[in-house]
Amino acid sequence: MMAAAAPLRRPESDFLEQARGKLIVALDFDALDEAERCVDVLGDDVTFYKIGLCLQLAGGDQFAKDLLKKRKRVFLDYKYFDIEETMRTAVARAAQLGVSFLTVHGAGGILRGAVAGRGDSSLKILCVTVLTSMDAADIKEMGFDCDVEQLVISRAVKALKAGCDGVIASASEAPAIRQQTSGKLVIVTPGVRPEGSAADDQKRTATPDEAIRAGADYLVVGRPITRAADPKAAARAIIEQMAAALRAR
Ligand code: C5P
C-alpha cells in the first residue's frame, strides 16, 4: 500500500512575503526629510507607506511620486469629505497619481462622488468608519446614540452600497464587517500596537497578531515603528508576528 502523501507546507518565506505586503507604515512626520530618512532606514522591509495630513502640506504629492518611483505602494490618508462634484474632481486627481489607496468619509453623494472620480482606475477608495482613537464616549459626544460597532457596521454597509472598495476599522470590528458585507470590502486596520508598546492616543487597539487573526487585510502602523529606537528591527518584529498569525489563520 502506498503511504499517504504528506500535506504540502507553504515555506516560511511565503508567509513573510505576504505579511510584508500587508504592512503599511504611517509616515506621520511634519518634515519631508524625516520621512525620507525613515523610508531609507526601513529599506526593502517595507513596501507600502501611508502619507497623511502631517505631510500633505509639506510636499505630500511630490513625495508620493518619489515613493512610487522607488516602487513603493502609496496610501493617501487625506480623509476627503466634501460635496459630490468636489469629491469627484479631487479623487480623479489622486487616481492619476497612481497611488493605491485614498481615504474618504461620509455617506451618500460624498461617497458616490468619490467613486465616480475613481472611475475604472486601480485606486481603492477606503471609507473611514470610526477613528480608532475614538470610543463610545467620543461617538456619544458627536451625537450618535449607538455603540461603536453598530456605527462602524452601518458606515461599512453604506460604503459598500456606494461602491467604495474598503473601510478603515479597528481589528475588533473586522469579523462583523466581513460578515455583514459578504467579504466584499478591503479592511484596513490602524491602532495596531505590539505587546508592551504605548497606546498613545489610540483607544481601539490590537496587536499585529490579533489584527491578522481578526481578518484585517492590511495593518497601518505608525509610531511603534517610526518612533522606535531601531525602526527596522521594530518593523521586522511586526512582520514576523503577522507572518506567524497568517500561518495560523
Ligand atoms: O502612530 P499610529 O500607529 O497610531 O498611526 C496610525 C495612523 O493611522 C495615523 O496616521 C492615523 O492618522 C491613522 N488612522 C487612524 N485611525 C483611523 C484612520 C486613520 O489611526 N480610523
Side-chain angles (χ1 to χ4, degrees):
M1 210 168 64
M2 276 181 40
L8 279 178
R9 289 190 60 195
R10 279 177 63 192
E12 191 58 36
S13 57
D14 263 25
F15 290 108
L16 282 169
E17 195 55 35
Q18 196 187 353
R20 210 168 282 125
K22 288 177 176 290
L23 173 66
I24 303 174
V25 173
L27 293 169
D28 291 324
F29 297 99
D30 52 15
L32 215 47
D33 56 346
E34 288 177 53
E36 284 164 351
R37 219 172 302 128
C38 183
V39 172
D40 285 345
V41 165
L42 294 173
D44 291 340
D45 284 302
V46 174
T47 58
F48 207 159
Y49 286 101
K50 182 171 90 68
I51 299 174
L53 301 181
C54 300
L55 286 181
Q56 188 178 30
L57 293 179
D61 296 3
Q62 185 53 48
F63 184 50
K65 288 181 193 160
D66 294 344
L67 286 174
L68 292 169
K69 269 192 219 139
K70 288 182 182 161
R71 304 192 140 317
K72 305 293 184 189
R73 297 183 75 198
V74 177
F75 168 7
L76 285 188
D77 187 15
Y78 288 177
K79 300 184 176 73
Y80 287 161
F81 177 91
D82 214 313
I83 61 169
E84 190 163 342
E85 180 55 17
T86 304
M87 291 295 283
R88 190 188 64 73
T89 314
V91 171
R93 281 296 296 271
Q96 281 167 11
L97 271 179
V99 298
S100 300
F101 294 168
L102 173 74
T103 43
V104 300
H105 59 115
I110 304 170
L111 299 184
R112 284 195 298 277
V115 169
R118 178 206 61 199
D120 54 14
S121 72
S122 59
L123 175 69
K124 295 215 179 303
I125 303 289
L126 307 179
C127 188
V128 177
T129 56
V130 175
L131 293 177
T132 44
S133 58
M134 300 181 111
D135 62 12
D138 296 310
I139 66 161
K140 193 166 180 205
E141 197 184 343
M142 287 171 68
F144 293 100
D145 189 20
C146 59
D147 68 28
V148 173
E149 182 162 313
Q150 282 172 317
L151 185 55
V152 169
I153 302 300
S154 116
R155 288 185 166 173
V157 169
K158 282 182 189 147
L160 180 64
K161 278 195 187 138
C164 292
D165 305 288
V167 283
I168 312 288
S170 85
S172 59
E173 294 118 25
I177 293 173
R178 211 166 276 298
Q179 201 216 349
Q180 299 285 325
T181 60
S182 311
K184 289 184 180 149
L185 291 173
V186 175
I187 302 174
V188 178
T189 295
V192 176
R193 290 294 180 269
E195 208 77 61
S197 64
D200 306 305
D201 49 0
Q202 296 285 10
K203 291 180 182 159
R204 299 190 341 275
T205 59
T207 65
D209 173 78
E210 288 166 341
I212 290 291
R213 285 173 190 255
D217 295 300
Y218 293 89
L219 273 53
V220 173
V221 187
R223 288 161 289 185
I225 292 176
T226 56
R227 295 200 188 164
D230 183 344
K232 197 172 178 69
R236 281 190 175 170
I238 288 171
I239 290 165
E240 276 164 23
Q241 281 180 45
M242 291 167 70
L246 285 166
R247 199 184 317 108
R249 202 155 83 168

